[in-house]
Amino acid sequence: MSESSAIWADALRIARLVAADPHGCGGVVLRAGAGPVRDRWLDIVRENLNPGKPLRRMPAGIAEDRLIGGLDLAATLSAGRPVAQAGLLAEADGGLLVAAMAERMGQGIAAHLAAALDTGRLRVERDGLAETRPARFGLVLLDEGIGEDEAAPAALADRLAFHLDLTTVPPSAMRPVLPPPCDGLSPESEMPPHGGARSGHDPVAELSEVAARLGIASLRAPLLALRVARLLARLDGRAETAEADARQAARLVLGHRATRLPERESAPGEKPEEGEPSPPEQAPPGPEPEEGTGQASDDRIVEAARAAIPAGLLAMLMRDGPRLRMPRAGKAGAKAVSARSGRPMGARPGDPRRGRLDLIATLRAAAPWQAIRRPPDGSAAFLAIRPDDIRITRFRQRTETTTIFTVDASGSSALERLAEAKGAVELLLAEAYTRRDKVALVAFRGAGAELILAPTRSLVRARRGLAALPGGGGTPLAAGIDAAGEVALGVRRGGGTPVVVMLTDGRANVARSGIAGRERAGEDSLKAARLFREAAFRAILIDTAPRPQDSARRLAAAMGARYLPLPHADAGAMSAAIRSARE
């Protein structure tokens, strides 16, 4: 069987399990782009769902009131009393919720989903309502992220049993689908009679031990694996789980969560290596342990999970452990509150002259009180709205980020530093279109500092300015810090988010006055650094000396900057460090 066919076979098993017990399994993170393979897998899940079980789709950017429910405005105005309407989570009770573009999901939406997955209930307290609705559903997160930098929320992925990657499965690998189980046993159905499973099998201890040996810290992982093992037994018509169920559950649930490779244990009856003492002989106190129990059973389950570790993750574990995720791309600048533009973030009480009126939210706030606001004779036929009911829309937008490179262009090693700075600037400019970022370049040498490249996204202008950047001379470090602060202040006044990246070894030898002298120049640079810190700019200081310097470390502390000793950094390493620090 080819690798693609094996992945598709696992996809069919996961589809059957998720459809049989959506809430018990939590769901699945499905990494795949839009196409026939993903559509076919979703069709298989739908076909395996029990009749009457809903399958709802959650669009990206769904409003909170549509997600969790709230006041039914039309019914409330008609009835003269608060009438609630169910949200999408309550509508999905008993079935599955398919969330599109999960890699772009906001933290608020993810928090509502996580709370419902944990409790199986949805508590709504808003618009004069206070009610609890059942919300026992499974979640399918459609992850369309490109690379490892974009992924579904980790808090939700930890609550879902399965992770399925269909990006490498071509349509030709999709095999004919086996018919669904005869009755699609659900967790609420009665347990079938004992079907001959071995007694004495302890899947709880075994799966917990396997999770520990794989380095899985989350306690949810072995619990989800146990649920899947029991579900496999029920779907097979057995009341007790067998070792084969535990092995398959470990392979499907625990394999992709591994953070380290488990050590291989010696097989039963294997002779010890030469030089190792033989274990003492012991008289058997009773009957021999059954096959599939004890340490041997744990080892077989571990090997099943080990075989399911994805190839990319396995390679990283064999090298030096899992690589930390870099911050996601596509995020430009810090979050900022705006009165009239940006992404809507709900409504709040306010003055419509200082914001944008949210008419629907205003009507929702006023509707529950109409019965007591109408005159006793009922003569008023209009809607009574008071100033306290008025709601304005809250907006949030991300400000534009400007990365200000401040380069020490002095000394005999200036050419090497400038070459790395040029490479890092060009790498960041290549991302400017998607990130909406700008880049600026300040160089200090000789007696002062100069703005070589004003904030820009133009790659042509950047290359032109970089090509003409001179090198050599003294190190007026204080002047460089002052110049970087002035550019950053201008960016901030324009509504942007400045990030200063200073490349220097921290050894100043030219004072603010332009006079050479290390002692005076060092004092001036520390004073400039403290003034810079008072402005609260985000900053990174990259120590470019062949060995990390205490002078650069002290300067970074005075600036309030992150210190990065990168004596041998190339342009790619510098670009990655800068992206990490400015998130």
Side-chain angles (χ1 to χ4, degrees), residues 480-556:
I481 297 173
D482 291 340
E486 290 176 5
V487 177
L489 187 59
V491 171
R492 179 181 286 176
R493 286 173 176 169
T497 302
V499 177
V500 175
V501 180
M502 179 163 287
L503 294 89
T504 182
D505 57 10
R507 293 179 290 189
N509 56 22
V510 177
R512 269 199 177 110
S513 60
I515 301 174
R518 290 191 178 276
E519 184 176 353
R520 182 60 181 174
E523 293 175 358
D524 285 354
S525 64
L526 289 177
K527 288 180 181 178
R530 295 186 188 102
L531 290 174
F532 182 94
R533 183 171 188 168
E534 290 178 2
F537 296 126
R538 298 169 64 185
I540 312 156
L541 190 146
I542 299 178
D543 187 349
T544 57
R547 295 181 180 179
Q549 298 292 314
D550 290 338
S551 57
R553 190 177 288 107
R554 287 195 299 268
L555 184 66

Side-chain angles (χ1 to χ4, degrees), residues 339 346-358 361-362 390-394:
R348 64 175 178 84
D351 188 341
R353 294 171 295 182
R354 296 186 175 89
R356 188 182 298 179
L357 176 67
D358 190 330
T362 300
I390 296 177
R391 300 290 187 269
I392 61 175
T393 303
R394 295 181 299 156

Side-chain angles (χ1 to χ4, degrees), residues 238-552:
R238 291 179 282 105
E240 295 184 13
T241 59
E243 182 189 322
D245 302 321
R247 284 202 305 268
Q248 189 167 170
R251 191 172 64 82
L252 296 176
V253 180
L254 302 180
H256 65 271
R257 288 176 158 89
T259 63
R260 67 167 178 255
L261 286 177
E263 296 181 0
R264 295 182 184 273
E265 301 289 342
S266 299
E270 183 180 353
K271 294 183 180 179
E273 296 292 335
E274 186 177 352
E276 292 183 1
S278 300
E281 297 183 1
Q282 296 180 355
E288 292 290 334
E290 298 181 21
E291 182 183 359
T293 61
Q295 186 64 41
S297 176
D298 290 350
D299 292 342
R300 284 191 289 269
I301 298 174
V302 166
E303 288 304 313
R306 181 188 178 110
I309 298 176
L313 177 59
L314 180 61
M316 287 186 285
L317 294 179
M318 293 179 68
R319 286 200 307 267
D320 52 4
R323 182 173 66 85
L324 296 177
R325 286 187 181 273
M326 292 299 297
R328 300 183 188 181
K331 293 185 177 180
K335 297 175 182 177
V337 177
S338 176
R340 296 186 179 274
S341 63
R343 182 179 178 183
M345 300 301 297
R348 64 175 178 84
D351 188 341
R353 294 171 295 182
R354 296 186 175 89
R356 188 182 298 179
L357 176 67
D358 190 330
L359 180 59
I360 300 300
T362 300
L363 295 177
R364 288 181 185 278
W369 310 102
Q370 296 307 301
I372 61 176
R373 291 180 182 177
R374 290 172 181 165
D377 57 3
S379 59
F382 56 86
L383 188 65
I385 298 178
R386 297 180 180 177
D388 292 344
D389 301 327
I390 296 177
R391 300 290 187 269
I392 61 175
T393 303
R394 295 181 299 156
F395 295 96
R396 189 178 68 191
Q397 57 184 202
R398 288 189 176 271
T399 61
E400 185 178 65
T401 297
T402 299
T403 303
I404 305 165
F405 282 87
T406 308
V407 182
D408 182 353
S410 65
S412 59
S413 60
L415 293 179
E416 181 180 352
R417 287 196 295 266
L418 294 181
E420 299 301 345
K422 292 174 183 180
V425 169
E426 292 198 9
L427 284 176
L428 290 173
L429 279 172
E431 302 173 357
Y433 179 77
T434 56
R435 298 181 61 92
R436 302 181 181 90
D437 288 352
K438 289 184 178 180
V439 175
L441 181 61
V442 174
F444 56 95
R445 60 183 289 273
E450 181 183 1
L451 178 62
I452 302 296
L453 179 67
T456 182
R457 290 195 196 98
S458 172
L459 190 58
V460 174
R461 287 182 57 198
R463 285 174 175 167
R464 216 174 271 160
L466 290 169
L469 183 60
T475 309
L477 189 51
I481 297 173
D482 291 340
E486 290 176 5
V487 177
L489 187 59
V491 171
R492 179 181 286 176
R493 286 173 176 169
T497 302
V499 177
V500 175
V501 180
M502 179 163 287
L503 294 89
T504 182
D505 57 10
R507 293 179 290 189
N509 56 22
V510 177
R512 269 199 177 110
S513 60
I515 301 174
R518 290 191 178 276
E519 184 176 353
R520 182 60 181 174
E523 293 175 358
D524 285 354
S525 64
L526 289 177
K527 288 180 181 178
R530 295 186 188 102
L531 290 174
F532 182 94
R533 183 171 188 168
E534 290 178 2
F537 296 126
R538 298 169 64 185
I540 312 156
L541 190 146
I542 299 178
D543 187 349
T544 57
R547 295 181 180 179
Q549 298 292 314
D550 290 338
S551 57

Side-chain angles (χ1 to χ4, degrees), residues 38-39 68 81 97 113 161 270 315 321 334 341 405 419 436 490 545 571 581:
R38 190 180 78 176
D39 292 343
I68 66 175
R81 57 179 178 79
L97 182 65
L113 292 172
E270 183 180 353
S341 63
F405 282 87
R436 302 181 181 90

Side-chain angles (χ1 to χ4, degrees), residues 138-212:
L139 186 61
V140 178
L141 295 179
L142 301 182
D143 183 356
E144 302 177 18
I146 300 175
E148 295 186 0
D149 293 350
E150 297 182 351
L156 290 180
D158 186 47
R159 290 168 166 81
L160 310 186
F162 308 110
H163 186 286
L164 187 58
D165 191 341
L166 299 181
T167 54
T168 61
V169 177
S172 58
M174 294 187 293
R175 302 182 307 172
V177 181
L178 297 175
C182 56
D183 55 358
L185 290 172
S186 64
E188 292 82 8
S189 60
E190 293 184 1
M191 296 287 287
H194 178 49
R198 287 191 305 268
S199 60
H201 181 66
D202 188 358
V204 178
E206 291 173 349
L207 291 171
S208 299
E209 173 66 19
V210 171

